[in-house]
Each structure stands twice: as structure tokens, then as C-alpha cells.
Amino acid sequence: MSEQRIAVITDTGTDTPEAFVAAHDVRVVPLRINYSDGSTFESGVDITPEQLVGRFAEEVPSTSLPSPLRIQETFEGARRDGYDGAVFVAISSGLSATYETVSMVARQMEADGFPVVVVDTKSIGVAAGLVVMEAVRQIEAGMPLSSLGSVLEGVARRTRVFFSVQSLDFLHKGGRIGDAEYRLGSVLRIKPVFTCDEAGKYVVAKKARGWKRALDEEVRLAVEAARAHDRVRLAICSYEDEGIFERLEEQLRREVGAVSEVVEVLRSGISADLLVHTGPSLAGVAVMGC
């Protein structure tokens, strides 16, 4: 068993459940939210999801990655607290430059005697959060830092995310979907179900007419992803609950449970930085093969 003390660090884009973060000393580096008046906030630090959504009527802000200094300070804080090294689990490099920036800072830390492994989840939201949680489990089981990178990359490959939004406005404004798809969805009530491809970029996994059918498609896609594994962990994310958690959990336990053993079903909110790009109507599910 490894005697190293390894810190687990992530960014707010992974939506790792707050209770788990607090219980396992997971350090979270915030992405930034920027308004046109020049004001900048750190997601989850000085702006909450509720405050962000409350300001949508006046402005939809932009986001930016954490500063290199903020990342370095987080690594240095872990070292001061007695950790011998760290693993940083980042949201997809296909959606954010966070992974590249963290990797740059990690090389500087390594040169200064503090080893850091950086993992690109190729995913986002609570699906990436499942990888964070697995990092904690592996470390607590004695996994050495030298093996964590390859192990967690394998975990990331076994993890899928599927999500939909009732309104495509935010994805369109952020350039995540094109004009034609936006018009088609708005006029015909077509609700795409998105996932992340092998490069970690958004792609449409399925299209459904109407919100209820989109949620049903998310569950069906989760079932297909679960078929490849004997045991799975599941997660549900939503901002505007409205019974989404209860409905999806019941469906997932029944339908995924018919093809694979469901170890647990987690629930997660959505960070302010992700809400900028999706809006508050998002609901999604994630599947991780154990």
C-alpha cells in the first residue's frame, strides 16, 4: 500500500457533489465568470448558480478558465497541508483550456519537487465528477501516484454523459450548436440529447420531439452504455429540479438495473460556469462502468 499523501484537485466544471468534496478534502479550483462591465467572479466562490441565473435577464456572461496563479496557489496549499503530490481531474480539453493550463503549472510544480498527475476526463459536469470520486477511492485504497494517471484515464473512457435542455438559446449563443439546428429545434420542438465524443467535444447522440421524450432517450442511452459493464455507478444532474431527480432515478434503477448492477445513483446540481453555456433547464445522466 502506498504511503504517499496525494491530494485530489479538480475544477468547478466537474460538478463533483459538494458533500463528497467536503468529506474527502477535494480541492476545487473555480472557473471564472465575466460580465461586460468588467466584473469577474469565481464560480461557486463569490457567485452562486442562483445568483447567476437571477442575472440572466440582464446579461448572459462569458466564462474563462482559472488563472495559472490560482491553480498554483491550490497546489502550494496542498503541499503546505502535508500532501506529497496531487492528481488534478479536469473537465474536457475539448471544451475548455483548463487541462492545458493545469498541465503547464503541473510541470512547474514537478520541477519544484511536487509531482502532479493531470487527467483529461474528455467529459463535463457530473460525469467528470464521477472520475474525481473514483480518484479518491483509488487513493484511499492505496493506489500510488505513478499509477493514477493511466487508471483514471481508463475510468474516463468507461464514463458517459447524456444531457438535454428545454431551451437551446444558451447553447446557440455560446456557439455550441449552429443556426440550422437551433431553428429546427425551436420550430419543431426537437430536443437533441448531447454527449461528448472521444475528443471530448459535444455531439448529438439522439434527437427527440419534446422534453419528456428527450428524458426517456437519456435513460435509453444510459442503458446501452451500461450493457458493457457488469456494475455501474449512475449520476443525475439538474438545476430546475421539478421532480427530475425522482423521475430519472426511478427509470434508471429499473431500466439500467435490468442490464447491469447499479452500485449507486448520485445527484448533483450544476455549477454557475456550466449554467452560462447550457441555461438552467438542463437535465442529464452519467454512467460509469465499475
Side-chain angles (χ1 to χ4, degrees):
M1 178 172 292
S2 172
E3 295 182 358
Q4 283 183 301
R5 288 198 69 214
I6 305 168
V8 177
I9 305 174
T10 189
D11 55 75
T12 48
T14 69
D15 281 347
T16 308
E18 291 182 5
F20 187 92
V21 166
H24 297 276
D25 193 28
V26 177
R27 285 123 194 269
V28 182
V29 176
L31 277 75
R32 293 179 289 183
I33 295 170
N34 311 302
Y35 285 90
S36 59
D37 63 3
S39 59
T40 295
F41 300 89
E42 291 188 320
S43 178
V45 176
D46 47 19
I47 187 168
T48 66
E50 293 75 20
Q51 289 169 334
L52 175 86
V53 171
R55 295 184 61 175
F56 275 159
E58 58 186 80
E59 181 181 353
V60 177
S62 62
T63 61
S64 58
L65 63 154
S67 70
L69 179 59
R70 190 68 152 89
I71 296 166
Q72 182 180 357
E73 288 173 345
T74 305
F75 286 137
E76 294 288 2
R79 174 154 58 181
R80 284 194 303 273
D81 290 341
Y83 286 99
D84 304 308
V87 57
F88 192 110
V89 181
I91 58 171
S92 174
S93 61
L95 299 171
S96 169
T98 300
Y99 171 79
E100 287 80 4
T101 303
V102 172
S103 297
M104 176 190 71
V105 177
R107 288 191 291 271
Q108 297 171 348
M109 295 300 299
E110 185 103 34
D112 197 30
F114 188 76
V116 178
V117 170
V118 188
V119 178
D120 182 356
T121 62
K122 304 289 187 182
S123 193
I124 198 164
V126 72
L130 288 175
V131 183
V132 176
M133 298 172 79
E134 185 62 22
V136 170
R137 282 188 285 267
Q138 293 290 339
I139 291 168
E140 291 181 349
M143 179 71 66
L145 185 61
S146 58
S147 302
L148 267 177
S150 59
V151 169
L152 293 178
E153 286 169 4
V155 172
R157 288 193 295 270
R158 300 195 303 272
T159 305
R160 299 295 307 278
V161 64
F162 306 103
F163 71 90
S164 303
V165 291
Q166 292 195 56
S167 170
L168 296 172
D169 291 351
F170 291 85
L171 287 169
H172 181 244
K173 288 176 182 176
R176 303 297 187 183
I177 60 173
D179 292 341
E181 190 167 23
Y182 174 67
R183 286 194 297 269
L184 181 67
S186 300
V187 173
L188 299 181
R189 295 178 56 248
I190 301 297
K191 306 297 183 186
V193 179
F194 297 93
T195 189
C196 290
D197 62 14
E198 292 183 358
K201 296 183 177 182
Y202 290 149
V203 292
V204 175
K206 204 77 175 178
K207 293 181 180 179
R209 188 182 293 272
W211 180 238
K212 180 182 181 301
R213 290 182 179 177
L215 296 178
D216 290 340
E217 288 295 346
E218 288 184 22
V219 174
R220 279 193 279 270
L221 288 164
V223 170
E224 291 308 307
R227 288 186 189 278
H229 310 288
D230 294 332
R231 303 167 74 242
V232 294
R233 281 189 167 86
L234 305 175
I236 305 165
C237 63
S238 175
Y239 175 76
E240 294 178 339
D241 181 0
E242 297 179 0
I244 291 293
F245 285 118
E246 286 74 15
R247 171 186 170 168
L248 286 177
E249 180 165 351
E250 189 277 329
Q251 284 185 269
L252 288 166
R253 286 192 180 277
R254 183 181 69 249
E255 297 184 32
V256 173
V259 301
S260 182
E261 178 188 348
V262 176
V263 175
E264 64 180 335
V265 181
L266 302 166
R267 297 183 180 189
S268 171
I270 303 170
S271 63
D273 45 284
L274 296 189
L275 286 170
V276 168
H277 299 287
T278 65
S281 66
L282 180 145
V285 301
V287 184
M288 185 187 80
C290 296

